[in-house]
Amino acid sequence: MARFVPKQCLPPDLAFFTQISGDTTEQVARHLLDFIPPIPPGSIIHDNACGSGAMTVALMEAHTKNIVIHATDKVPSLIDTMSKKATSLSWPVLAEVMLSEALSFPPAKFTHSFTNFAIMLIKEDAAVAEGIHRTLRDGGVAVLSIWDAPLPVQVVKAAHEFLRSGQSALPPAIARGSFNAEDLRSLLEGVGFTSRGLSFGRTKAVLEVADLRFWATAVWSFLGCPQNGWIAQDEQRWDEVIDFIVDWVQNWENYRKLDSGAVRLDMEAHVVVAWK
Ligand SMILES: C[S@@+](CC[C@H](N)C(=O)[O-])C[C@H]1O[C@@H](n2cnc3c(N)ncnc32)[C@H](O)[C@@H]1O
């Protein structure tokens, strides 16, 4: 039997899903390059859990000659799009479907390994960290980013408590939302990066939202589904929850209303640079 889905829930379309974070991962991908020395010619680079290729695009915009980028992600449609883009632009990018927790690259393949906003999503995070360390050359560098107290996680948690009064487990999409910089440090140290080789920094990205109510609907549609699936109450009280989310965001400390009527949301991220 088909699972119940509230009639207000947006369909699982990438075009809606990408509204949640806009181009913020692209903004941070560009900033990540400021945390390390310029990428030298001859570098072999991993864009781990590449998504739509934010990191690969940032690397290509840096115009470094004679590099090779291996872009991997678990979602075939993203890899397909990445491959087509690389071919059409003649980029030195090899894209393949691969789980970050089961990298099939040989040891010491990469001079650089980037994991932009992904490790906090993956339950097998120790295997992800191990793969990054194993595939990096001695003297190579890994750069990882995670959001600091990500807004979608905070607001979905609040809406979940508002609607379901702690009666059910957190939606799976945000269950790992408390993953933080200290978790990242212990993971990386646990797989062999030394504390001397690790440095932590911070960066920011700005999300501009033209229609906050639509943004709230996208966030709740894609992240609010409880562990056992949506139920009738989710449909009956849908508008109430969206009102709650809009109100919560309007009272968030990093919310600004712009003269244009759009909304500006300032996001903060942790960046770790790990030298092997
Ligand atoms: C928030 S997106 C970030 C994508 C990209 N790195 C960026 O900066 O825009 C997280 C990405 O992790 C990918 N992902 C999630 N779990 C994964 C896994 N176990 N192995 C590989 N990729 C995974 C998702 O498909 C998605 O593309």
Side-chain angles (χ1 to χ4, degrees), residues 25 49-51 54 73-75 78 98-101 116-118 121-122:
T25 69
C50 63
D73 198 282
K74 76 168 181 183
V75 176
L78 292 172
M98 200 184 293
L99 291 174
S100 297
E101 61 271 39
N116 197 33
F117 298 115
L121 302 173
I122 305 173

Side-chain angles (χ1 to χ4, degrees), residues 2 72-73 88 103 151 156 164 176 179-180 186 191:
T72 59
D73 198 282
S88 71
L103 298 180
L151 171 63
V156 165
R164 304 174 182 132
R176 282 177 53 83
F179 186 92
N180 61 26
S186 29
V191 298

Side-chain angles (χ1 to χ4, degrees), residues 88-259:
S88 71
L89 295 167
S90 303
W91 282 355
V93 175
L94 301 163
E96 48 186 315
V97 176
M98 200 184 293
L99 291 174
S100 297
E101 61 271 39
L103 298 180
S104 58
F105 298 114
K109 182 172 177 70
F110 298 114
T111 54
H112 299 76
S113 174
F114 293 93
T115 309
N116 197 33
F117 298 115
I119 195 163
M120 71 289 181
L121 302 173
I122 305 173
K123 194 154 58 77
E124 299 79 6
D125 50 12
V128 176
E130 196 280 326
I132 292 170
H133 187 267
R134 181 184 64 79
T135 56
L136 202 57
R137 292 183 188 170
D138 286 346
V141 67
V143 185
L144 297 94
S145 63
I146 58 170
W147 294 117
D148 181 8
L151 171 63
V153 171
Q154 290 188 66
V155 77
V156 165
K157 200 163 170 229
H160 169 82
E161 276 153 21
F162 165 75
L163 176 68
R164 304 174 182 132
S165 329
Q167 298 303 303
S168 60
L170 280 178
I174 62 153
R176 282 177 53 83
S178 61
F179 186 92
N180 61 26
E182 273 318 300
D183 295 318
L184 192 48
R185 178 189 296 281
S186 29
L187 269 183
L188 294 172
E189 290 184 357
V191 298
F193 287 104
T194 62
S195 55
R196 231 164 14 98
L198 293 183
S199 62
F200 278 75
R202 297 176 72 85
T203 189
K204 288 179 190 232
V206 173
L207 176 63
E208 270 198 33
V209 174
D211 180 343
L212 184 56
R213 202 172 170 78
F214 186 75
W215 182 86
T217 305
V219 167
W220 189 243
S221 296
F222 298 120
L223 306 179
C225 181
Q227 210 151 49
N228 296 324
W230 297 108
I231 58 172
Q233 172 187 252
D234 293 310
E235 182 169 293
Q236 288 147 13
R237 297 187 60 195
W238 185 274
D239 291 347
E240 215 186 308
V241 173
I242 301 304
D243 288 342
F244 175 90
I245 294 177
V246 168
D247 186 60
W248 196 99
V249 173
Q250 285 171 335
N251 286 292
W252 187 48
E253 55 187 344
N254 294 330
Y255 164 94
R256 305 274 176 285
K257 181 89 187 243
L258 302 175
D259 291 343

Side-chain angles (χ1 to χ4, degrees), residues 27-108:
Q27 293 174 38
V28 171
R30 280 185 222 112
H31 299 170
L32 293 189
L33 296 175
D34 298 334
F35 284 80
I36 55 172
I39 302 224
S43 296
I44 301 176
I45 303 167
H46 186 199
D47 181 0
N48 195 9
C50 63
S52 312
M55 197 66 233
T56 292
V57 171
L59 287 160
M60 292 313 301
E61 283 175 358
H63 299 298
T64 309
K65 298 271 179 287
N66 190 25
I67 57 172
V68 176
I69 302 172
H70 291 261
T72 59
D73 198 282
K74 76 168 181 183
V75 176
S77 59
L78 292 172
I79 290 301
D80 194 42
T81 309
M82 186 74 247
S83 274
K84 286 183 179 140
K85 184 170 182 171
T87 305
S88 71
L89 295 167
S90 303
W91 282 355
V93 175
L94 301 163
E96 48 186 315
V97 176
M98 200 184 293
L99 291 174
S100 297
E101 61 271 39
L103 298 180
S104 58
F105 298 114

